């Protein structure tokens, strides 16, 4: 089979450059394009130079239509508005769209689900193997323990992260809720401030920390009277997310339309 032709959206950012390195380092695929938003100072630059790989002969463009027509897959860790637009383009082109963007609203999710009727969309709040294993464990542990165990999810990221809780924290919260057989929206507690009263039985709480250059730390805490269980994942390198995204793109080749997760890619759902 020919090498998979992959383009990267948001290519000049920190995650975008990691994606470039991951595509370049995988013999099963080839980088054929890179995108940035209109007005970016990176437009026209060689992405290989920006990613520290030497000149690759791939210039950054602000024209997504051109790339979606010639790529087999697009890796997208950008912002919700852009990802929704890219999902529609992927649907028209019938290609693979790997979405690592977080912070979507319900209306955005609906548009992505609609696009997945024609595109192969792999969407996850976190693309790493370890975090997806953590989510699977969280679901199983939450199912095994009743509501005498209070569930709290703590996450910390670098100071530049703009959404909270993180997509990964919400993924873990959903896993815990699924294990309990409830909807996260019905039991989620995002903020505690002032006189909040006693903790409600069955709630799933979230705590958000921001600071420094932390790539991503997540803890699922299950606390009962006299004992605590903690499930933890520490990400030290953004490369784990980039390699997961490339794995997702390769997995999606030839799969046909649908909305998939990294659980599907890794076979650990």
């Amino acid at each position: 089979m020919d090498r998979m032709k992959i383009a990267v959206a948001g290519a000049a950012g920190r995650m975008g450059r990691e994606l470039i390195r991951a595509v370049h380092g995988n013999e099963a695929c080839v980088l054929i394009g890179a995108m940035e938003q209109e007005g970016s100072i990176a437009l026209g630059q060689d992405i290989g130079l920006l990613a520290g790989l030497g000149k690759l002969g791939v210039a950054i463009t602000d024209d997504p239509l051109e790339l979606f027509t010639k790529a087999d897959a697009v890796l997208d860790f950008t912002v919700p508005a852009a990802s929704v637009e890219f999902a529609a383009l992927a649907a028209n082109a019938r290609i693979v769209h790997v979405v690592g963007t977080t912070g979507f609203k319900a209306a955005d999710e609906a548009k992505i689900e609609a696009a997945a009727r024609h595109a192969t969309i792999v969407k996850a709040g976190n693309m790493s193997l370890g975090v997806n294993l953590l989510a699977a464990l969280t679901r199983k542990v939450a199912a095994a323990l009743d509501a005498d165990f209070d569930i709290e999810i703590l996450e910390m990221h670098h100071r530049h992260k703009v959404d909270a809780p993180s997509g990964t924290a919400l993924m873990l919260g959903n896993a815990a809720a699924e294990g309990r057989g409830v909807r996260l929206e019905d039991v989620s507690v995002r903020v505690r401030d002032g006189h909040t009263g006693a903790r409600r039985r069955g709630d799933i709480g979230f705590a958000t920390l921001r600071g420094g250059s932390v790539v991503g730390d997540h803890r699922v805490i299950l606390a009962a009277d006299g004992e605590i269980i903690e499930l933890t994942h520490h990400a030290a390198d953004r490369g784990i997310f980039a390699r997961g995204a490339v794995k997702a793109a390769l997995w999606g080749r030839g799969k046909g339309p649908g909305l998939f997760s990294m659980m599907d890619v890794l076979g650990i759902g």
Side-chain angles (χ1 to χ4, degrees):
M1 184 179 291
D2 294 337
R3 296 167 74 192
M4 190 176 198
K5 296 179 289 185
I6 295 181
V8 173
R14 284 172 296 179
M15 194 61 220
R17 284 174 283 175
E18 288 288 355
L19 291 168
I20 295 298
R21 288 189 280 269
V23 174
H24 183 70
N26 192 311
E27 294 182 353
C29 50
V30 59
L31 178 69
I32 57 91
M35 288 179 279
E36 262 299 339
Q37 61 185 340
E38 183 179 354
S40 169
I41 60 172
L43 293 177
Q45 296 187 47
D46 187 287
I47 191 57
L49 295 176
L50 281 180
L53 297 171
K55 194 168 185 178
L56 296 180
V58 178
I60 298 179
T61 179
D62 61 0
D63 182 7
L65 185 58
E66 174 192 354
L67 296 187
F68 275 84
T69 56
K70 65 182 183 181
D72 297 319
V74 173
L75 309 183
D76 169 18
F77 288 61
T78 56
V79 296
S83 292
V84 169
E85 176 188 347
F86 296 154
L89 291 173
N92 288 333
R94 304 297 201 270
I95 65 171
V96 179
H97 183 201
V98 178
V99 184
T101 305
T102 59
F104 292 105
K105 296 180 180 177
D108 299 327
E109 300 279 7
K111 291 176 182 176
I112 290 173
E113 288 177 12
R117 291 198 287 266
H118 303 287
T120 306
I121 299 179
V122 182
K123 177 176 171 291
N126 194 299
M127 297 278 173
S128 85
L129 170 61
V131 162
N132 282 276
L133 285 171
L134 176 62
L137 288 170
T138 297
R139 184 183 299 109
K140 289 182 180 299
V141 173
L145 302 175
D146 63 22
D148 285 342
F149 281 81
D150 301 320
I151 300 176
E152 294 286 318
I153 297 169
L154 184 148
E155 58 101 344
M156 182 169 185
H157 285 83
H158 54 88
R159 64 170 67 94
H160 302 291
K161 187 167 179 59
V162 298
D163 59 311
S166 70
T168 302
L170 293 173
M171 181 175 76
L172 295 171
N174 273 304
E178 288 170 12
R180 288 267 169 94
V182 298
R183 296 193 322 149
L184 182 61
E185 305 86 72
D186 297 334
V187 297
S188 174
V189 176
R190 306 288 185 87
V191 178
R192 295 188 180 104
D193 185 25
H195 193 281
T196 61
R199 189 187 201 281
R200 192 176 63 176
R201 179 181 169 85
D203 278 349
I204 297 175
F206 292 83
T208 298
L209 308 179
R210 294 287 178 266
S213 59
V214 177
V215 173
D217 286 346
H218 293 87
R219 292 166 58 196
V220 179
I221 302 168
L222 300 100
D225 292 343
E227 60 181 329
I228 293 176
I229 299 168
E230 290 192 22
L231 305 173
T232 303
H233 182 270
H234 170 71
D237 176 8
R238 285 183 180 83
I240 63 174
F241 312 128
R243 292 189 292 274
V246 173
K247 183 180 181 72
L250 293 168
W251 175 89
R253 192 176 197 181
K255 274 288 182 297
L259 181 59
F260 304 97
S261 71
M262 282 301 289
M263 294 288 190
D264 297 308
V265 175
L266 300 170
I268 58 173

